[in-house]
Amino acid sequence: MPVTGICVGAYQVGRGVANSVEAVNASKAGMQWDQDKREWIFYYLNKDKEEVEQLEAALKAEKDGNTSGDGAAGTTDINEKKVKDREFYDLLGVSTNASAGDIKKAYYKKARSCHPDKCPGDEEAAGRFQELGHAYQILSNEQTRANYDKNGKPETNSADANLANEIDPLVFFAVMFGSHLVEPYVGELWLATTADTMMKDMMEQQQAMDMESMTEEDAARILAGKTSNDEMILKQRKREVKCALNLREKIVPYIEAKGEDDIEKFKASVVSEAAKIADTSFGATFLVTIGFALQVEGEEFLGFQNTMGGVGGHAARWKKTRKNTQNNWKLMGAGINAATTGRKAMKEVEAAQKALEEKRATEAIEGSADKDGEGGGEASAMDEEQAKMAAQKLEETIPALLELAWAINIRDISRTLKHACKKLFTDADVPMAVRVQRAEAIQLIGGEFYTIGKSRGGEKYSVKDSADIKARAEVAVMTTMAKAQGQEVDEDDAEEMISQAKKMRADMEAGGGGTTQE
């Protein structure tokens, strides 16, 4: 047994040495370890983009019940423009970026396959053919297509359903956090995407539950939820690929630079963009978070490529690990603070409500309530006072909740950029020399972003200003509703509205002792 153990141990040590040499050589060659295939592979960013588009199309076809493989929902584009409703595009099987020619070709192809003359005995063929014709009629005209992209189909649902459709978490969070300028770098925030997915699932479940012919199995499936973990993973993968593509496009001037003058122009454009971002609310915090992530990812890649034994890469990796640990501690602290603040507010509200009920009971026993109904006014006043107190306690918890949201955003952005940069630096479509240039450009962007964000106080962000939070929330709601009704609201206009709302609130509090008028 000892001899056998020694032999097995020696074999494992030899195997480990061989694998280490293979890993070093493969890494130097720009290859990546595929955990699923258990082998070293070359990664291609464009191929990853295509795979994401195919998986997204397949997932949508599955959710729509289209498993026939006819491609009704088989076309998608990772860089599609956002539209209010995409049913007509999916019906024709085209992207929202499709040209007039693409739409025309798709219509003729679909129309031939479902024309009533081609489908004898199919009672649903005529209905599908009419739907295709209506979709083509809308999308083939520039004006009607633009109106459809902005407003979607006319809704005939109830007022409650229309109100639910008007709520767009993606727009709300973009205004709330002022993230529109940094979206090319970080994509849609995880908080916004999650809220949007949950709301859509709730709406779909509600609509499905209203169907009278639903079976018990269908009801159980709907109540279980439609958003799977695979779908959330695919959304995050799509986000990372899109960020990598945006970064690749952003650094083209650096890659194509002919000399120091071109590099200085690129650097000047980065500084100008960072200054513009810093002027927005939370912009400095975005710059610090994005800047550190980009800078350290560039340092890590260049360190492993250019330093002896990868010393520089290990140093950058240690710096990143330390920063991630700090962010995790901040997230934990923010979570504990939000939970503590929420529990405290709930206890105070419950105590006040209990005291109010005891007061009413005492007055009833003592017969102090007016039998002619005059006591109703006093009861209404007490209810109004209780409601005001509850609202005040809720407002006191908002800064703690927003601080938690920011802690989540910071970790989310760091993780997203880590994977996006890895895709950019390991893209085997370009030689190693170009990948090194990409890392240098990303490191430059990160350094400028971090420096400007730090100078604006981005490292020590604060969300304690209740007036600012209220103003941002009010404008975020108004912007969401306005865009849902087809109105154009520019992001700069939203920031100006927030400033005006804060000023009006401050003037009212200074002139009216904190009271507001309808």
Side-chain angles (χ1 to χ4, degrees):
M1 291 180 64
V3 172
T4 302
I6 292 173
C7 294
V8 172
Y11 169 76
Q12 293 294 346
V13 170
R15 181 183 177 188
V17 172
N19 288 341
S20 298
V21 174
E22 180 188 6
V24 171
N25 293 334
S27 181
K28 277 292 184 180
M31 301 179 71
Q32 297 299 306
W33 177 254
D34 191 309
Q35 190 65 30
D36 296 329
K37 298 180 180 179
R38 306 294 299 175
E39 61 181 5
W40 289 94
I41 63 169
F42 284 104
Y43 169 81
Y44 299 93
L45 179 56
N46 290 331
K47 183 178 179 181
D48 195 4
K49 172 181 176 289
E50 295 174 359
E51 290 179 357
V52 169
E53 292 172 349
Q54 293 171 2
L55 289 172
E56 190 175 34
L59 180 62
K60 179 168 181 59
E62 181 181 354
K63 291 184 68 175
D64 293 342
N66 177 22
T67 57
S68 60
D70 61 355
T75 303
T76 183
D77 185 351
I78 199 170
N79 291 318
E80 280 189 320
K81 67 177 181 180
K82 297 179 181 178
V83 295
K84 173 70 174 179
D85 182 270
R86 57 171 299 131
E87 180 180 340
F88 290 163
Y89 291 101
D90 291 338
L91 195 61
L92 293 174
V94 298
S95 164
T96 57
N97 290 329
S99 64
D102 293 335
I103 292 174
K104 186 175 183 179
K105 291 178 183 178
Y107 168 68
Y108 286 138
K109 180 179 179 181
K110 297 282 185 181
R112 284 196 298 268
S113 65
C114 67
H115 193 281
D117 295 341
K118 299 285 186 179
C119 305
D122 187 351
E123 298 178 356
E124 299 180 356
R128 293 199 302 269
F129 184 75
Q130 290 179 356
E131 291 176 356
L132 280 172
H134 180 57
Y136 176 68
Q137 183 181 9
I138 296 296
L139 298 183
S140 60
N141 182 281
E142 292 185 3
Q143 293 182 350
T144 56
R145 180 181 179 181
N147 183 66
Y148 172 71
D149 290 347
K150 181 187 296 183
N151 304 320
K153 296 191 305 181
E155 295 289 346
T156 58
N157 298 333
S158 64
D160 292 339
N162 287 331
L163 180 62
N165 288 332
E166 290 174 354
I167 300 175
D168 189 346
L170 299 177
V171 175
F172 177 86
F173 280 104
V175 176
M176 189 68 188
F177 293 118
S179 60
H180 59 280
L181 289 179
V182 298
E183 187 171 324
Y185 293 95
V186 302
E188 293 174 343
L189 298 175
W190 178 85
L191 280 174
T193 303
T194 303
D196 181 60
T197 301
M198 293 177 62
M199 287 193 63
K200 287 180 178 178
D201 283 350
M202 290 173 62
M203 291 172 58
E204 290 177 3
Q205 291 172 19
Q206 183 61 43
Q207 292 174 359
M209 291 296 289
D210 292 338
M211 298 174 62
E212 298 180 356
S213 60
M214 184 186 303
T215 64
E216 294 181 359
E217 291 78 7
D218 291 337
R221 176 179 57 81
I222 291 170
L223 290 173
K226 294 185 178 181
T227 303
S228 64
N229 186 51
D230 291 341
E231 183 177 354
M232 296 302 295
I233 293 175
L234 178 59
K235 283 188 175 183
Q236 179 61 21
R237 180 182 172 186
K238 176 183 177 181
R239 176 188 176 190
E240 293 166 0
V241 171
K242 192 171 182 178
C243 288
L245 293 171
N246 290 338
L247 289 172
R248 186 178 69 178
E249 183 68 21
K250 183 77 65 176
I251 62 177
V252 166
Y254 183 94
I255 303 298
E256 298 179 350
K258 302 300 182 181
E260 289 297 327
D261 291 341
D262 292 338
I263 294 178
E264 288 300 321
K265 290 180 181 179
F266 173 75
K267 184 177 179 180
S269 67
V270 171
V271 172
S272 176
E273 182 181 11
K276 185 177 180 180
I277 294 173
D279 290 335
T280 63
S281 298
F282 305 120
T285 306
F286 273 122
L287 287 175
V288 168
T289 304
I290 296 171
F292 180 86
L294 294 179
Q295 187 176 25
V296 77
E297 294 300 334
E299 287 179 2
E300 181 179 355
F301 181 81
L302 293 174
F304 281 117
Q305 292 295 323
N306 299 334
T307 59
M308 181 69 68
V311 175
H314 288 294
R317 185 172 293 177
W318 178 82
K319 185 193 302 185
K320 181 169 58 175
T321 301
R322 184 181 62 178
K323 187 68 172 181
N324 290 339
T325 302
Q326 293 175 354
N327 291 338
N328 289 336
W329 279 108
K330 288 182 180 179
L331 177 59
M332 184 183 301
I336 294 174
N337 181 45
T340 303
T341 304
R343 283 197 299 265
K344 181 180 178 182
M346 287 298 298
K347 287 181 179 180
E348 291 178 356
V349 171
E350 291 174 356
Q353 186 176 3
K354 184 177 180 181
L356 181 61
E357 293 175 354
E358 291 177 352
K359 182 178 180 181
R360 286 178 176 175
T362 301
E363 291 176 350
I365 294 174
E366 294 177 353
S368 59
D370 187 15
K371 296 181 180 179
D372 295 332
E374 296 179 0
E378 182 178 351
S380 298
M382 294 171 66
D383 291 340
E384 184 177 353
E385 182 181 355
Q386 173 70 17
K388 288 183 179 180
M389 193 273 291
Q392 181 181 358
K393 294 301 179 184
L394 177 61
E395 288 182 357
E396 292 175 358
T397 66
I398 292 178
L401 295 175
L402 191 56
E403 185 176 0
L404 174 61
W406 256 116
I408 294 173
N409 283 342
I410 289 175
R411 189 172 71 165
D412 170 51
I413 291 171
S414 300
R415 290 183 173 181
T416 299
L417 288 179
K418 171 186 175 181
H419 295 293
C421 288
K422 182 178 180 180
K423 294 177 183 297
L424 188 65
F425 300 157
T426 59
D427 182 12
D429 276 326
V430 295
M432 182 59 68
V434 176
R435 297 186 226 175
V436 170
Q437 284 184 304
R438 288 180 176 181
E440 292 172 349
I442 292 300
Q443 184 181 14
L444 188 154
I445 294 174
E448 296 299 332
F449 273 30
Y450 184 81
T451 301
I452 294 176
K454 185 178 180 180
S455 66
R456 298 288 190 94
E459 281 190 317
K460 299 179 180 179
Y461 67 91
S462 175
V463 290
K464 305 298 183 183
D465 188 354
S466 299
D468 179 69
I469 297 171
K470 293 176 185 177
R472 298 196 73 84
E474 291 170 358
V475 174
V477 171
M478 289 190 296
T479 303
T480 304
M481 302 296 285
K483 286 193 174 184
Q485 296 170 5
Q487 302 178 24
E488 293 293 338
V489 181
D490 188 75
E491 288 79 4
D492 295 332
D493 294 338
E495 291 294 333
E496 180 63 25
M497 291 167 62
I498 292 171
S499 299
Q500 294 178 1
K502 288 173 61 178
K503 186 177 183 300
M504 290 176 59
R505 184 179 290 275
D507 292 342
M508 286 189 295
E509 291 179 353
T515 59
T516 58
Q517 297 179 353
E518 294 294 335

